[in-house]
Amino acid sequence: MSDTFTSRTLNVTSGGHETVSDLTADCERFLREAARGRSGLLNVFVPHATAGIALIETGAGSDSDLLAALRDLLPADDRWQHRHGSPGHGRDHVLPAFVPPHATLPVIDGRLELGTWQSVCLVDTNRDNPERQVRLSFLG
């Protein structure tokens, strides 16, 4: 790969419960090595059919509010046609339509440009798959 494109995979253990995992520090560490002070774009991608990437405030209750909203919108019950896995698992396969599996973010002078309270987060409602991969790619 050229110096203009660098990619790395993170392994994230999300556990056996619904979770919002903050990846911001991982993104910043990656950019220190990959961007080396350059400007460009960071793409964050989760190659799973049952997880997504969100920009959200964490630590003040918004992450819990997001999971509660997803439970209201996508209940873990027997309404889903996709029926393998734990009860209600079909809703996990609908999640990426609401929380996309990717985000592309600006990098200026090697630093991730987020709003004051924004964090880059993995959103995972799938209790059946506690091990996730997240691909970070820098183009600059």
Side-chain angles (χ1 to χ4, degrees), residues 103-121:
T104 301
L105 307 166
V107 176
I108 306 298
D109 298 327
R111 296 185 49 101
L112 190 56
E113 288 291 306
L114 294 173
T116 302
W117 302 112
Q118 286 180 318
S119 295
V120 181
C121 297

Side-chain angles (χ1 to χ4, degrees), residues 38-67:
R38 293 175 296 160
S39 297
L41 295 172
L42 173 68
N43 182 264
V44 183
F45 173 69
V46 56
H48 298 281
T50 59
I53 300 295
L55 298 181
I56 189 170
E57 179 180 4
T58 59
S62 296
D63 38 352
S64 296
D65 289 342
L66 173 59
L67 292 174

Side-chain angles (χ1 to χ4, degrees), residues 85-103:
S86 62
H89 175 65
R91 66 111 181 213
D92 299 325
H93 287 273
V94 177
L95 173 77
F98 295 92
V99 181
H102 61 89

Side-chain angles (χ1 to χ4, degrees), residues 4-20:
T4 60
F5 180 82
T6 305
S7 190
R8 176 174 303 142
T9 300
L10 299 175
N11 293 308
V12 179
T13 300
S14 56
H17 58 279
E18 299 175 338
T19 189
V20 175

